Amino acid sequence: MLQIKTFTFNPYQENTYVIYDEQKNCVIIDPGMYGPADERTLTDFIEQNSLNPKILLNTHCHIDHVLGNRFIFDTYGLYPQFHEGELPVLIEVQNYAPQMGFRYDISPIGETFLTEENVIKIGDYELKIIFAPGHSPAHLCFYSEPQKFLIGGDVLFKNSIGRTDLPGGNHDLLLKNIKEKIYILPDEVTIYPGHGPTTTIGFEKATNPFIRG
């Protein structure tokens, strides 16, 4: 069974996830580490559990989700994988980070990109990809159907949704994708969001004030 470890990093309180299997294969999703303390927290967990990082994923490429991309590449040799539609968002980070007072080590860019047709393999396990733009131009979510969990990024939060006032955001599209691609998942699916606590599909369908199933 896949295990999920949650870290909360950087001034935006962003959730970084490490998912790993019994053979110690692991995937790092949205590395938001900012500074040596955050970086050591992540690497200590990986070392203490003898994990072998295989894949680096970005749900999307806003600054708080990519601050650690360069560190992961330098430490484990992994290029970030994301949808090609997020490339302009990633490139723009290096332009606005200094204006926001952030030290940003520029993320590497790989030669391949993800689409909804791809599958993320973690040893014997698989994560399906759900294309759910709206918060950002080409946002991806990662879904384990057997274990009923969703790494949701900034699409859907506990009683909230991702903001849509940033470049490339589209409020109507976000609501449409939540209803048509996220709310169709089983009610018992646990959502691991980009910020804040976990929630479930059923809970959000019943209580989220922004959109109902």
Side-chain angles (χ1 to χ4, degrees), residues 71-85:
F71 177 80
I72 296 299
F73 175 76
D74 290 345
T75 305
Y76 303 114
L78 301 176
Y79 283 96
Q81 298 185 41
F82 49 86
H83 193 285
E84 189 171 10

Side-chain angles (χ1 to χ4, degrees), residues 36-194:
D38 285 356
E39 292 165 357
R40 176 49 58 187
T41 296
L42 184 80
T43 56
D44 280 353
F45 177 81
I46 289 173
E47 291 167 8
Q48 289 165 7
N49 289 276
S50 303
L51 301 182
N52 184 12
K54 297 285 193 179
I55 301 172
L56 169 58
L57 301 173
N58 292 133
T59 58
H60 64 297
C61 292
H62 288 150
I63 184 170
D64 49 329
H65 293 257
V66 303
L67 281 167
N69 275 8
R70 168 58 65 176
F71 177 80
I72 296 299
F73 175 76
D74 290 345
T75 305
Y76 303 114
L78 301 176
Y79 283 96
Q81 298 185 41
F82 49 86
H83 193 285
E84 189 171 10
E86 289 291 307
L87 193 52
V89 180
L90 180 62
I91 293 172
E92 187 60 25
V93 173
Q94 65 195 59
N95 296 324
Y96 69 72
Q99 301 169 20
M100 300 175 66
F102 278 88
R103 179 186 60 78
Y104 172 63
D105 297 325
I106 296 175
S107 172
I109 297 172
E111 296 181 352
T112 59
F113 298 94
L114 298 174
T115 71
E116 220 168 21
E117 284 70 49
N118 296 118
V119 173
I120 305 301
K121 295 185 180 295
I122 310 172
D124 295 330
Y125 301 93
E126 293 184 345
L127 299 178
K128 295 182 177 180
I129 296 177
I130 297 174
F131 182 62
H135 170 70
S136 67
H139 193 297
L140 300 176
C141 302
F142 303 103
Y143 175 51
S144 170
E145 187 172 5
Q147 289 188 222
K148 292 184 168 53
F149 70 78
L150 180 77
I151 307 297
D154 288 2
V155 172
L156 184 65
F157 304 121
K158 186 173 184 179
N159 284 150
S160 189
I161 60 173
R163 60 187 294 185
T164 55
D165 58 338
L166 299 171
N170 184 315
H171 186 74
D172 291 341
L173 182 60
L174 179 63
L175 296 183
K176 180 176 187 289
N177 280 320
I178 290 172
K179 191 159 190 176
E180 296 181 1
K181 294 192 172 185
I182 306 301
Y183 275 9
I184 64 169
L185 302 177
D187 284 354
E188 61 269 30
V189 168
T190 299
I191 302 168
Y192 290 84

